[in-house]
Amino acid sequence: MIQDKGVLGLSTIRRNRGISLEQIAASTKISIRSLEAIEHGEFGKLPGGIYNTSYIRQYARAIDYDESALLAAYQSELSRVAESVAQRDPTNRNDTYGGFRPASGVLGL
C-alpha cells in the first residue's frame, strides 16, 4: 500500500475515487505541479493570492471533498508559517511568509 504523506490524505482519497491528476488538470486547467503541491500541503508552490484559494476549491470539488476542510488546512498552514516568520524576525515586513504570497491585506500588510 502506498503511504499518503500529503495533507488530509488527499491523494489516497483521489485514487480511491478513481480520479487521476491528469483528469483534474484537464477539467480545471490547473497544472499537475500545482495539484501535486495541494496534495502534499506544499502551498508555497502555488502561484499566490486568490489563485491559491481558487485552486484549492477547484481541487476539492474535483475529488468531491469538503472545500472548507481543505481551506482550513491551508489557512492553518498559512498562519503557522506567518507566526514562524514573525518569531524569527519581528521586523520582517516583506510580502512573503515562508514562501507564501498572500493576497494584499490578508495578513495586515
Side-chain angles (χ1 to χ4, degrees):
M1 180 175 170
I2 298 172
Q3 177 85 14
D4 188 347
K5 296 181 181 180
V7 174
L8 306 171
L10 295 173
S11 63
T12 299
I13 292 167
R14 174 184 51 77
R15 284 191 306 270
N16 287 343
R17 292 182 178 161
I19 304 167
S20 71
L21 286 176
E22 291 77 11
Q23 289 171 310
I24 298 171
S27 68
T28 63
K29 307 300 185 221
I30 298 171
S31 72
I32 289 177
R33 186 177 141 227
S34 291
L35 296 171
E36 288 173 335
I38 292 169
E39 284 188 350
H40 297 135
E42 296 171 341
F43 301 116
K45 292 184 177 181
L46 296 176
I50 196 160
Y51 289 106
N52 290 5
T53 55
S54 175
Y55 283 15
I56 291 166
R57 286 180 189 278
Q58 289 181 68
Y59 176 88
R61 289 178 192 146
I63 67 166
D64 194 28
Y65 190 81
D66 181 9
E67 290 176 41
S68 60
L70 188 48
L71 286 169
Y74 167 68
Q75 291 298 331
S76 174
E77 181 64 10
L78 185 65
S79 295
R80 186 193 66 74
V81 169
E83 184 177 306
S84 173
V85 168
Q87 287 176 353
R88 280 183 290 178
D89 183 6
T91 62
N92 182 5
R93 297 287 296 167
N94 70 20
D95 292 341
T96 64
Y97 290 81
F100 284 94
R101 295 173 298 278
S104 70
V106 169
L107 296 174
L109 298 175

